[in-house]
Amino acid sequence: MSARNPGIQLDLEWVSKVRVNTQAVLRRAQYIQGLKIPSKQWQAAWLLKAISCIDLTTLAGDDTPSNVHRLCMKATQPLQYELLKKIDMHDKGVTTGAVCVYPSRVADAVKSLKAANSNLPIASVATGFPAGQTPLETRLMEVRMAVADGATEIDIVINRTLAITGQWEAMYDEICQFREACGDAHMKTILAIGELGTFTNVYKASLVAMMAGSDFIKTSTGKESVNATYPVAVVMVRAIRDYFLRTGHKVGFKPAGGIRTAKESLVWLVLIKEELGNDWLSPHLFRLGASSLLADIERQIYHHVTGQYAAYHELPMA
């Protein structure tokens, strides 16, 4: 991951001056979606890059030690060995970027990955995910417990009320406290963009989250009615770029929620390359939050190798 974002003092003057041109954002997002995506062996290479950036996720009420174990095994060996061998990638250590689970399942993930001799990062959602509506002390305790159990990354949710009502100082203070509770774990801050109302609010929330020391900013919990969209991504990555130009510090970006197809993952990679450049095209600075995306990428690579599409039941599930 990136060298930890030390954060800066809250710059309310910078935040208050933010104005986002909605039409320009929509035009830019449309332009990026219209760009040609790679084909044949280049597409296969980009899809392997996408796999390396996936936070392979299970956030269900019926999660058990066994399905977390299956998730971890899939993360350490995301593609069948024979497929990788045919494209000469069997010895390149292809894995997903991380696994992502609820706090109470972190210990299960630690156990499974240790048994597999893998040091894959373990991300845990925390702070009253997905709504963030529990008392602050409870949210802080949840972060500390997830870290104590072995989580190396924490995906926190902001208090949307503070962002919607423009209480940026209070939001900054809360995130700083989460940052402290994370200790050495990296902190990804979920903005829940579907509930923030305007692009200007999304940009301001992005800035405040970065000023408070977030290592990543993330679009959504995946539980809102609107999740990762390309226009919102343009707003957030522009905030990341502006923050980098002002502070010299690179903050990562994670779209999450509703990303299901290999083609969509390629558009996300193109967006990052176009807006932030090649430095961000790595799991240190870019993650895709997804649970079903990997299955479609595996089908596409299977097709690239064999010329046929596998039935879903022929590929190991995550």
Side-chain angles (χ1 to χ4, degrees):
M1 302 265 303
S2 56
R4 204 164 89 180
N5 176 17
I8 57 173
Q9 286 296 108
L10 177 62
D11 186 341
L12 280 173
E13 191 185 350
W14 182 6
V15 175
S16 68
K17 283 180 179 169
V18 169
R19 297 290 179 276
V20 175
N21 181 331
T22 298
Q23 291 311 311
V25 167
L26 295 175
R27 276 198 305 274
R28 179 64 176 163
Q30 203 168 11
Y31 167 77
I32 285 168
Q33 284 174 264
L35 289 173
K36 199 169 183 295
I37 55 176
S39 58
K40 298 182 181 169
Q41 70 264 40
W42 292 280
Q43 183 175 103
W46 276 72
L47 288 174
L48 288 176
K49 167 65 77 179
I51 288 172
S52 76
C53 295
I54 291 174
D55 277 1
L56 195 60
T57 302
T58 183
L59 295 170
D62 58 358
D63 282 342
T64 60
S66 59
N67 77 318
V68 169
H69 177 73
R70 189 175 67 208
L71 186 89
C72 290
M73 294 305 95
K74 186 68 174 172
T76 57
Q77 172 96 46
L79 295 178
Q80 290 177 355
Y81 181 81
E82 290 307 314
L83 281 184
L84 286 170
K85 197 160 187 190
K86 285 189 173 134
I87 52 177
D88 200 28
M89 290 296 289
H90 56 289
D91 56 355
K92 301 294 190 292
V94 177
T95 68
T96 66
V99 293
C100 183
V101 295
Y102 273 120
S104 57
R105 301 266 76 97
V106 168
D108 298 334
V110 168
K111 187 177 171 187
S112 293
L113 290 171
K114 196 173 180 183
N117 204 18
S118 169
N119 57 1
L120 203 65
I122 297 168
S124 172
V125 296
T127 66
F129 179 96
Q133 292 282 15
T134 49
L136 179 59
E137 198 45 57
T138 311
R139 286 179 280 150
L140 288 165
M141 195 184 302
E142 199 175 25
V143 173
R144 294 187 197 108
M145 288 168 72
V147 172
D149 277 352
T152 51
E153 304 175 5
I154 301 290
D155 289 28
I156 67 158
V157 288
I158 64 165
N159 180 333
R160 267 80 103 194
T161 306
L162 300 178
I164 294 163
T165 55
Q167 296 179 65
W168 302 116
E169 276 182 89
M171 182 178 140
Y172 172 84
D173 289 341
E174 275 200 5
I175 298 174
C176 284
Q177 289 182 66
F178 297 146
R179 164 78 277 167
E180 197 177 332
C182 284
D184 290 334
H186 280 76
M187 184 171 79
K188 306 198 209 70
T189 300
I190 307 169
L191 303 183
I193 50 84
E195 296 172 357
L196 295 188
T198 66
F199 286 152
T200 297
N201 242 6
V202 168
Y203 190 108
K204 288 180 175 184
S206 300
L207 271 189
V208 172
M210 291 187 285
M211 288 171 182
S214 305
D215 298 296
F216 268 69
I217 51 175
K218 175 177 167 183
T219 58
S220 341
T221 65
K223 312 285 187 186
E224 294 95 51
S225 55
V226 177
N227 293 294
T229 67
Y230 302 119
V232 150
V234 169
V235 174
M236 290 175 69
V237 297
R238 292 278 171 98
I240 287 170
R241 192 165 73 191
D242 291 346
Y243 185 81
F244 170 66
L245 292 173
R246 176 105 43 131
T247 67
H249 198 86
K250 293 174 180 169
V251 172
F253 176 64
K254 177 179 172 180
I259 303 169
R260 295 190 178 89
T261 68
K263 185 178 179 186
E264 285 173 302
S265 73
L266 294 175
V267 177
W268 283 108
L269 288 169
V270 167
L271 186 150
I272 294 301
K273 186 175 170 64
E274 286 282 311
E275 287 290 324
L276 292 172
N278 290 340
D279 280 3
W280 265 266
L281 279 178
S282 89
H284 298 301
L285 288 166
F286 178 62
R287 297 287 179 80
L288 288 156
S291 51
S292 56
L293 169 63
L294 182 55
D296 193 55
I297 292 180
E298 190 167 13
R299 284 186 86 230
Q300 300 306 325
I301 290 178
Y302 185 97
H303 180 264
H304 168 71
V305 169
T306 66
Q308 301 168 320
Y309 279 109
Y312 276 108
H313 68 262
E314 292 180 285
L315 301 172
M317 63 194 284

